[in-house]
């Protein structure tokens, strides 16, 4: 399971993050687009050292090594900026993810990425007026890239996460359904159980 941090501050956020990680959250994407480099470093220092292996850094990649983070995420814009992505720095990280918004874009990825978000699958919970322009379930039938895992993003919640996995996505990323919920941990555990049940049924 993947959870992306809310872009804005949440009450008791660090405590919630620790609870999610202690409950088995595999990957926590740190996405705070308005943070300065100093604010980002302070935010990450509040997260227990034992969970650094679970963190994926979206911004200020140059902080990763000093903070003990081994996973980084490239936005679509960063990935398409050849100079940024082709740098020796990006090549030094063996665990990388990125964002895509069409099956053509996803299929064109090289083997540089472990997984990629494909969005939006459903109408976004956290972003107003952000909804799919194409049916990504239909689009996935045209998938040719099986080296990179495809992760559903956008409007994923407990009501539709099973449908998402049944229609070809390898996993899902949660954002609005976690941070817009009165009980983020309870909502995470509900989604987690659905995913685990689905995976067990595939064995």
């Amino acid at each position: 399971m993947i959870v992306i941090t809310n872009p804005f501050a949440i009450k008791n956020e660090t405590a919630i993050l620790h609870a999610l990680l202690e409950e088995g959250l595999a990957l926590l994407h740190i996405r705070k687009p308005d943070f300065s480099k100093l604010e980002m470093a302070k935010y990450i220092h509040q997260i227990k050292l034992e969970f650094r292996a679970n963190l994926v850094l979206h911004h200020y990649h140059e902080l990763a090594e000093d903070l003990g983070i081994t996973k980084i995420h490239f936005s679509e814009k960063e990935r398409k900026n050849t100079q940024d992505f082709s740098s020796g720095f990006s090549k030094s990280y063996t665990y990388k993810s990125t964002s895509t918004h069409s099956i053509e874009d996803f299929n064109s990825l090289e083997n540089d990425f472990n997984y990629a978000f494909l969005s939006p699958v459903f109408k976004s919970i956290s972003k107003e007026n952000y909804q799919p322009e194409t049916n990504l379930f239909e689009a996935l039938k045209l998938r040719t890239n099986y080296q990179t895992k495809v992760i559903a993003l956008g409007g994923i919640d407990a009501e539709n996460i099973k449908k998402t996995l049944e229609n070809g996505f390898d996993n899902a990323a949660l954002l609005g359904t976690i941070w817009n919920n009165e009980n983020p941990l309870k909502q995470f555990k509900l989604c987690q159980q659905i995913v685990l049940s689905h995976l067990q049924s595939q064995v």
Side-chain angles (χ1 to χ4, degrees):
M1 288 286 292
I2 296 172
V3 168
I4 303 172
T5 59
N6 197 70
F8 308 108
I10 297 289
K11 185 179 179 181
N12 300 321
E13 187 167 346
T14 304
I16 294 170
L17 294 181
H18 284 144
L20 294 172
L21 290 160
E22 287 164 0
E23 196 59 44
L25 172 60
L27 295 167
L28 174 64
H29 277 243
I30 307 294
R31 182 181 177 275
K32 296 285 185 178
D34 296 329
F35 270 18
S36 67
K37 187 186 290 189
L38 180 59
E39 287 171 327
M40 180 64 72
K42 285 182 176 179
Y43 181 87
I44 292 169
H45 275 300
Q46 293 174 23
I47 301 172
K48 293 177 183 178
L49 274 171
E50 64 193 85
F51 296 124
R52 292 291 165 87
N54 303 86
L55 306 185
V56 185
L57 190 60
H58 276 235
H59 309 286
Y60 305 114
H61 293 162
E62 62 272 21
L63 291 173
E65 187 173 357
D66 288 342
L67 294 171
I69 294 174
T70 59
K71 301 174 177 67
I72 56 177
H73 182 88
F74 287 86
S75 67
E76 187 175 45
K77 183 178 178 181
E78 286 171 324
R79 186 184 78 249
K80 291 184 175 180
N81 184 328
T82 308
Q83 185 176 355
D84 283 354
F85 185 68
S86 298
S87 68
F89 170 79
S90 74
K91 297 298 183 183
S92 69
Y93 283 83
T94 56
Y95 203 101
K96 297 187 287 290
S97 61
T98 190
S99 299
T100 62
H101 299 90
S102 71
I103 192 62
E104 293 79 12
D105 198 15
F106 176 81
N107 283 336
S108 70
L109 294 176
E110 301 293 336
N111 294 338
D112 296 301
F113 299 98
N114 297 77
Y115 60 89
F117 296 141
L118 181 58
S119 68
V121 180
F122 301 102
K123 183 179 179 181
S124 176
I125 300 168
S126 59
K127 292 181 182 178
E128 283 189 30
N129 302 317
Y130 187 56
Q131 53 194 8
E133 295 181 3
T134 59
N135 184 327
L136 291 181
F137 294 139
E138 285 299 312
L140 265 186
K141 295 176 182 178
L142 302 175
R143 180 182 183 182
T144 58
N145 177 4
Y146 289 93
Q147 298 299 312
T148 308
K149 289 187 177 180
V150 59
I151 310 298
L153 175 63
I156 309 296
D157 60 21
E159 298 298 319
N160 59 35
I161 195 168
K162 183 178 180 183
K163 175 183 177 181
T164 302
L165 299 175
E166 288 175 342
N167 280 274
F169 282 93
D170 296 312
N171 211 325
L174 309 177
L175 200 166
T177 192
I178 298 295
W179 302 114
N180 290 10
N181 196 285
E182 290 183 1
N183 191 328
L185 181 60
K186 183 179 180 181
Q187 184 69 0
F188 169 74
K189 289 168 71 173
L190 178 58
C191 292
Q192 182 187 50
Q193 187 55 53
I194 295 169
V195 170
L196 290 173
S197 296
H198 173 79
L199 293 175
Q200 289 169 359
S201 71
Q202 302 302 301
V203 175

